Amino acid sequence: MTDHKPPTIDPVAAARWAHAPVESAPWLHEEIARRMEDRLQWIVQKPATWLDWEPSRGGYEGHLLVQKRYPKAQSYVCESTSARQLHSRKILTPAWWSPGRWTGATPRFEKAANPVQMLWANMALHMAADPQALIREWHSNLAVDGFVMFSCFGPDTLRELRRVFDVAGWPQPHHQFTDMHDWGDMLVHAGFAEPVMDMERITLSHSSAERLLEELRGLGRNLHTNRFAGTRTKAWRKELLERLTRELGAEDGRLTITFEVVYGHAFKPKPRLKVTPETRVSLGDMRAALKN
């Protein structure tokens, strides 16, 4: 698992999604960010610097919650595109007349020159074509003893929707989501230590099939390599709406669907020096190993 990319994710589709413009994060992402921020109360370490990984998708409200918890910490913002970086700057920079501009650390919209003590990544990992490379990049942005805090969707997400598509004989409606234990293995493989993983299931109800599809479209795209290749017809959409209404509807007429949310955090330990007949160690690794 730690040596292979996700077999069901189309990297071209994933790259297209990663660079798509964003106006605001889905409300569900913001709610998950709120729940993840609450978990910070169990982290004893108070970071002096932290990096928010793509808040345009992860949630600006979540960023502000973390900033409120660590008001003296210097925050950095990293986005996939320059357009999203400018948008984040516009949203997260306090107005000149705001007290927050003078009483707290204004976010910097760049990667930190030096490794940060916390990396915050809300709802990014499950849409990455190469999640192990992304985890390694997070690791490289962290200082020794720093930690990553992340969330993503787990394999029970949209199980009702999969059942509808299976019954109809249609291709899968989304790519596969990774189990939290596999995420833990990937963290260790990337050099993290003491990964702590947990999950919860959130059941949402919608007033109509149209409203359900609208929300799902805001949450992401189907990156499955075997997704339907062409353009769907109006007749197919009509059948989809009818099946969703019939098979997901509850007694009160609302449509329910499940999301499994995985939360994780892990620390970056001091590098271990591998002893071989000939060992080469960088000066930075040597300093980190000998520190304290």
Side-chain angles (χ1 to χ4, degrees):
M1 185 67 192
T2 55
D3 295 326
H4 302 283
K5 298 177 183 178
T8 68
I9 292 185
D10 179 352
V12 175
R16 188 181 301 118
W17 168 252
H19 291 83
V22 179
E23 288 299 323
S24 61
W27 77 266
L28 181 58
H29 286 195
E30 295 283 15
E31 172 61 21
I32 292 169
R34 184 189 66 78
R35 299 182 184 207
M36 185 164 72
E37 188 277 335
D38 188 59
R39 286 165 162 76
L40 288 174
Q41 66 180 302
W42 308 114
I43 305 294
V44 176
Q45 178 178 327
K46 307 297 182 185
T49 56
W50 63 284
L51 173 63
D52 194 343
W53 197 268
E54 299 192 357
S56 60
R57 291 202 192 279
Y60 294 128
E61 293 176 22
H63 178 98
L64 296 176
L65 285 174
V66 179
Q67 184 173 286
K68 183 178 179 181
R69 181 176 291 273
Y70 306 125
K72 296 181 179 180
Q74 177 62 63
S75 63
Y76 295 84
V77 172
C78 178
E79 295 284 1
S80 296
T81 67
S82 57
R84 295 231 299 263
Q85 194 83 338
L86 289 173
H87 187 262
S88 291
R89 181 189 296 271
K90 179 180 177 181
I91 297 297
L92 293 176
T93 301
W96 67 267
W97 46 261
S98 171
R101 192 178 184 97
W102 312 108
T103 59
T106 301
R108 296 183 182 177
F109 299 88
E110 60 189 6
K111 285 189 178 180
N114 298 309
V116 297
Q117 294 176 327
M118 181 186 77
L119 191 146
W120 173 272
N122 188 44
M123 301 303 289
L125 201 49
H126 61 274
M127 297 295 288
D130 191 345
Q132 292 133 317
L134 181 56
I135 292 172
R136 289 193 297 270
E137 187 171 2
W138 291 350
H139 186 274
S140 69
N141 279 276
L142 278 170
V144 171
D145 294 329
F147 65 98
V148 62
M149 197 85 179
F150 71 92
S151 63
C152 59
F153 283 143
D156 266 355
T157 298
L158 304 180
R159 60 189 182 189
E160 299 89 349
L161 185 64
R162 289 198 299 274
R163 185 170 62 247
V164 170
F165 275 59
D166 285 341
V167 170
W170 296 332
Q172 287 298 300
H174 63 82
H175 56 279
Q176 294 176 11
F177 298 122
T178 301
D179 183 81
M180 67 176 182
H181 299 99
D182 291 324
W183 288 131
D185 292 342
M186 291 187 202
L187 287 166
V188 172
H189 191 72
F192 283 99
E194 303 178 37
V196 176
M197 312 295 301
D198 70 306
M199 57 78 70
E200 65 175 336
R201 292 184 180 88
I202 300 176
T203 300
L204 302 182
S205 65
H206 301 81
S207 58
S208 67
E210 290 89 345
R211 182 68 188 89
L212 169 62
L213 292 181
E214 180 184 351
E215 179 155 345
L216 291 179
R217 187 163 183 80
L219 292 173
R221 294 291 185 273
N222 183 0
L223 306 182
H224 204 296
T225 52
N226 293 327
R227 66 192 182 280
F228 187 76
T231 302
R232 293 292 195 177
T233 64
K234 292 182 178 180
W236 178 86
R237 178 179 172 83
K238 180 175 182 293
E239 182 181 356
L240 172 62
L241 295 174
E242 291 173 350
R243 285 180 176 271
L244 291 174
T245 302
R246 181 173 62 252
E247 299 181 35
L248 301 186
E251 292 183 0
D252 61 0
R254 297 185 66 84
L255 283 63
T256 59
I257 199 159
T258 300
F259 293 89
E260 178 186 335
V261 183
V262 174
Y263 302 93
H265 71 264
F267 290 86
K268 179 176 179 176
K270 296 178 182 178
R272 295 181 179 180
L273 304 182
K274 297 181 179 179
V275 179
T276 61
E278 180 181 351
T279 302
R280 297 184 181 184
V281 182
S282 70
L283 181 58
D285 285 350
M286 179 65 75
R287 285 173 175 169
L290 295 178
K291 187 178 179 180
N292 297 329

